[in-house]
Structures are given as structure tokens and as C-alpha cells.
Amino acid sequence: SDSYGAVSAQLTERTSTGGGLTLVISRQGVDFTDTGISEAVCGQNQGCEGAADAYGSPAVAVRRASGSTEPDVLVHLTNGGNICCRVTLIYHYDSTRSAYERSVHFWSDAADSGPPRALGAQQQVFFVSDDGRFRYRFGCGACTPGSIQIWQDRDGILVDVTRRFPNLIEHDAGTWRRLFLRQRAAEYGADGVLAAYVADAELLGRGSAAWRVVHVQGQAGYVTRAGSGFSSAAQFYSQLSGFLRKLGY
């Protein structure tokens, strides 16, 4: 459970008597109840049962949305998969209807990395995650991190505002470049780590410099090592370039 001002929220887990997940939001003494949470997480998957997220974020958080004095309620859930798929339900109060509207943010193969963070001069609330679309594209799931993503809650919708935080992007890019240099000689290489580095560099407008690094490493034999899944460095270059272009990097 969590609270902010006159708004509090409590999530009830499934018990031995059944009943599924239930969220109760109390606002100025009036309760709003949602018993359809499992359906939002699992859709029509009959074998799925939504559960509170156990990956760092609190299951329930009440936070003020950007540009609003009214707090939103955020519920972090998982369908039980190893990585995929976690979701965040966002409950935004609609004063014209005197009711809460629910939106669903699917994190794909990524997730927010812990509790919401206060960033920027005004210390507004943001979620920091990685881009889950990279996972498995350039190596195994654990071998392919995504570039940093930063999300802001705007009236109940998470909006990608990553480019507003170049210092965080630069730190992320440095992390992946250093990790690549440590792992590049491994049996399966570190192509996925290199992909995340290039993506961060593209966000910073330094893509040309990053691609020079890629080509130098390729010429030295550190790209697409045996077991990487790529037949040649040229194939890796082509797939990464097309992938980044498709995603808007």
C-alpha cells in the first residue's frame, strides 16, 4: 500500500479462498475498486495469474503526475515470466467523471529499474528502464541489454523523454562500452552490449563516432565471434543499422 496526500491505495493478493488481485483506491474518503487486474495483465491467457512485481519497484505507488496536483496510482505487476512480461497499471483521476481511468504500460522484455526517481531541476517523477526491444536480437537474453529509456507520467500515460537526460544517456553508454571491452574476447563475444552502446550514442547525436568504434572492433576480430549467431561482421552491421533505424534511433 502507499499514499500521497488524500489518496491512498492498497493491493490485495490472491489468497487460498481465491478472488484474484483487487486494488482499492481511497480518495477523500471515497473508495474506488478494481477487480479486473489479472485480465489487464494476462489478457486471455488461461494459465496466467497476475502477481505483484518482485523486481525492485514497490507493488503500489502513489505519485504526483507531471504538471498535476492530483496523484496517480501506479501498480507494478508480472505474469510470472522470467523476464517478459511485466506491466504497470496507471490510475489517473478524471475530475469530470469523478472516477479513475486505467491505462496499461507493457514493458515487453524490459522493466523499470526500481522505484520512480526524482530527476531534473524540478525533481519530477520518472521511471528509468532499458529498451526491451533489444533483448534476444543480438545474442541471448542476458547477453543483450537495451539502451537506457526514461519515462514520465503525463496524465496517466508513460511518455518516453529519454533525450531530455543526456548525462544519464552518456553514463549508460560508458557502462556498455567498458563492459564490451571486458567481454569482447569471450567465446560468444559481446555483440549485444555493443548494440546498446551504439544506440545510446545515437540518442546523444554521436552515432558516427560509435560506428567507427564498431568497425575498429570488427577489424580486430571482436565482432561476431564464433557462436554469436552472425555469419560476418558485415551482417551484424547491417542488422544493427536497420534495427536502430526502424526504432527511431
Side-chain angles (χ1 to χ4, degrees), residues 46-130:
Q46 297 298 320
C48 167
E49 292 186 11
D53 183 12
Y55 288 83
S57 292
V60 178
V62 185
R63 300 288 188 272
R64 185 167 61 87
S66 174
S68 173
T69 58
E70 181 75 31
D72 285 350
V73 176
L74 305 113
V75 181
H76 302 289
L77 302 168
T78 176
N79 67 4
N82 180 34
I83 298 174
C84 177
C85 299
R86 283 124 77 184
V87 303
T88 295
L89 308 182
I90 306 175
Y91 296 81
H92 182 75
Y93 187 73
D94 184 349
S95 59
T96 63
R97 297 174 51 243
S98 298
Y100 278 89
E101 296 180 342
R102 184 185 72 191
S103 64
V104 183
H105 184 87
F106 291 92
W107 293 101
S108 183
D109 283 314
D112 59 287
S113 56
R117 296 171 57 181
L119 303 173
Q122 298 181 0
Q123 293 291 280
Q124 294 179 330
V125 173
F126 296 87
F127 293 90
V128 179
S129 74
D130 64 338

Side-chain angles (χ1 to χ4, degrees), residues 2 6 10 12-14 16 18 65 71 76 82 119 130 134 151 157 166 178 190-191 199 201 206-207 214 243-244:
D2 195 19
Q10 182 169 4
T12 302
E13 295 269 16
R14 178 182 294 275
S16 59
H76 302 289
N82 180 34
L119 303 173
D130 64 338
F134 281 74
W151 302 83
I157 303 294
R178 289 190 296 273
D191 296 341
R206 302 175 189 170
V214 172
F243 183 69
L244 294 177

Side-chain angles (χ1 to χ4, degrees), residues 22-207:
T22 299
L23 178 72
V24 177
I25 303 173
S26 297
R27 181 184 183 275
Q28 297 180 352
V30 179
D31 287 350
F32 302 84
T33 303
D34 185 3
T35 58
I37 291 177
S38 292
E39 181 180 349
V41 176
C42 300
Q44 301 302 313
N45 186 349
Q46 297 298 320
C48 167
E49 292 186 11
D53 183 12
Y55 288 83
S57 292
V60 178
V62 185
R63 300 288 188 272
R64 185 167 61 87
S66 174
S68 173
T69 58
E70 181 75 31
D72 285 350
V73 176
L74 305 113
V75 181
H76 302 289
L77 302 168
T78 176
N79 67 4
N82 180 34
I83 298 174
C84 177
C85 299
R86 283 124 77 184
V87 303
T88 295
L89 308 182
I90 306 175
Y91 296 81
H92 182 75
Y93 187 73
D94 184 349
S95 59
T96 63
R97 297 174 51 243
S98 298
Y100 278 89
E101 296 180 342
R102 184 185 72 191
S103 64
V104 183
H105 184 87
F106 291 92
W107 293 101
S108 183
D109 283 314
D112 59 287
S113 56
R117 296 171 57 181
L119 303 173
Q122 298 181 0
Q123 293 291 280
Q124 294 179 330
V125 173
F126 296 87
F127 293 90
V128 179
S129 74
D130 64 338
D131 190 337
R133 296 171 294 182
F134 281 74
R135 201 173 299 275
Y136 302 106
R137 289 301 297 259
F138 303 98
C140 69
C143 310
T144 311
S147 59
I148 190 171
Q149 286 189 326
I150 302 171
W151 302 83
Q152 184 176 33
D153 176 9
R154 293 182 182 171
D155 296 330
I157 303 294
L158 292 188
V159 178
D160 187 345
V161 294
T162 309
R163 295 177 191 269
R164 286 177 48 187
F165 296 92
N167 290 341
L168 293 181
I169 300 172
E170 187 160 8
H171 180 270
D172 197 60
T175 296
W176 300 134
R177 181 169 180 174
R178 289 190 296 273
L179 182 59
F180 172 79
L181 293 175
R182 290 200 302 270
Q183 296 187 348
R184 62 184 179 176
E187 179 181 358
Y188 293 101
D191 296 341
V193 178
L194 194 60
Y197 160 68
V198 174
D200 278 334
E202 292 284 6
L203 290 175
L204 292 168
R206 302 175 189 170

